[in-house]
Amino acid sequence: MKPNPRMLFGNIFDDERITPSYLARFADDVIAKLIQNNTTNDYNSVLAFLQNAMIPLRKELGEVDTTLNTQVGKTATVDSFIVDFTKYMKDNYVFIAAALGGDKTAAFREFYPKGKTEYNTITKTKIPTIMERLNTVAVTYQTQLGATISTQLQDFQTQWTALRGSQLQQKSAVKTNRSDRTVARRNVELELLKTIHFIANKFPGDVKFSMVFFDFNLLFGARHKSLEDPVV
């Protein structure tokens, strides 16, 4: 088979189907797998650069991490967390509205821009963005909300990050116009490319083991082909 130079040397993440959220999802999974397999610190160099590159991208996506209270303990699953989080946002809708002067105020809409619907139909892909938003507005309106609600809204982000990171580790054992692609995204793309080449260099020719670190399906929606699919 004739090698594809773009796949070998190009930026495989320069694909319009790869949204920033999908890129972040893929990078988080790579980070989790590097950590899971880093018992001898072999991956420290690429891991540190990739983790640092992800910080601005998470912030840009509206994504960034004491403990949820007794509703969700340390052993809670991601799914149970989502159920409890959705219930909390539904049950406290009235209280947050009252604290902010009503459900028609601009302040309240920062918490519920789409009403309760956004929380009732929440997905794992959207949660990091929503958590960052809630963390920010909970701090902004801390006085009006009171310490209990404000702290709880901020704690959701910490709990989600811990639970999701743990889940990813356990599982592992754009071409948007270039002018539209941000520096933060570009830096993550480059660090991911370096990581791929680092693994390939460490395990030359061992496709099966190298693929342990990369689930390319995470870069795309279910209806799209992954990078592993042959080019027709």
Side-chain angles (χ1 to χ4, degrees):
M1 181 178 67
K2 182 179 179 181
N4 183 336
R6 177 183 177 276
M7 298 297 288
L8 289 173
F9 308 115
N11 182 357
I12 60 175
F13 304 106
D14 182 7
D15 189 314
E16 63 185 1
R17 299 171 298 171
I18 303 175
T19 67
S21 293
Y22 286 158
L23 184 71
R25 179 175 67 175
F26 174 76
D28 282 337
D29 187 64
V30 172
I31 289 171
K33 289 171 179 174
L34 288 171
I35 293 173
Q36 182 72 14
N37 293 279
N38 198 32
T39 54
T40 56
N41 299 318
D42 288 355
Y43 310 118
N44 281 356
S45 56
V46 289
L47 182 58
F49 284 112
L50 184 54
Q51 287 175 314
N52 288 335
M54 278 297 294
I55 294 172
L57 182 60
R58 286 196 186 102
K59 192 69 176 178
E60 193 170 89
L61 288 172
E63 173 186 344
V64 173
D65 179 274
T66 95
T67 302
L68 188 48
N69 64 28
T70 54
Q71 284 184 311
V72 180
K74 293 181 180 179
T75 59
T77 65
V78 167
D79 289 338
S80 67
F81 170 85
I82 293 174
V83 170
D84 289 323
F85 170 67
T86 300
K87 183 177 185 299
Y88 182 92
M89 296 308 295
K90 179 181 179 181
D91 292 347
N92 285 274
Y93 183 94
V94 174
F95 299 112
I96 293 175
L100 298 173
D103 61 3
K104 305 300 181 184
T105 62
F108 178 78
R109 286 197 293 272
E110 291 185 52
F111 291 85
Y112 294 88
K114 299 177 182 178
K116 297 178 185 177
T117 303
E118 182 177 28
Y119 298 102
N120 292 335
T121 59
I122 198 168
T123 65
K124 292 183 179 72
T125 301
K126 293 179 180 178
I127 281 182
T129 299
I130 292 173
M131 292 301 173
E132 173 63 16
R133 184 185 74 212
L134 284 178
N135 183 69
T136 300
V137 294
V139 173
T140 301
Y141 298 102
Q142 183 172 352
T143 301
Q144 296 95 314
L145 293 171
T148 300
I149 292 179
S150 176
T151 300
Q152 178 64 85
L153 292 175
Q154 294 173 63
D155 284 351
F156 277 129
Q157 186 180 50
T158 301
Q159 185 69 9
W160 167 255
T161 301
L163 284 172
R164 186 60 168 158
S166 176
Q167 183 191 54
L168 290 173
Q169 289 182 39
Q170 289 172 1
K171 282 184 177 180
S172 65
V174 138
K175 192 174 181 179
T176 56
N177 224 310
R178 283 194 178 274
S179 61
D180 294 331
R181 296 164 69 203
T182 66
V183 172
R185 173 181 171 135
R186 178 70 172 174
N187 287 340
V188 170
E189 291 176 351
L190 294 179
E191 291 307 325
L192 283 170
L193 289 172
K194 292 176 184 178
T195 302
I196 290 172
H197 290 299
F198 176 88
I199 295 297
N201 183 63
K202 187 172 180 62
F203 308 103
D206 192 340
V207 176
K208 183 177 180 180
F209 188 77
S210 295
M211 286 298 293
V212 166
F213 298 89
F214 308 106
D215 183 357
F216 291 110
N217 291 310
L218 294 176
L219 290 167
F220 302 92
R223 292 176 297 176
H224 293 301
K225 291 182 178 181
S226 77
L227 291 173
E228 300 172 64
D229 295 326
V231 178
V232 180

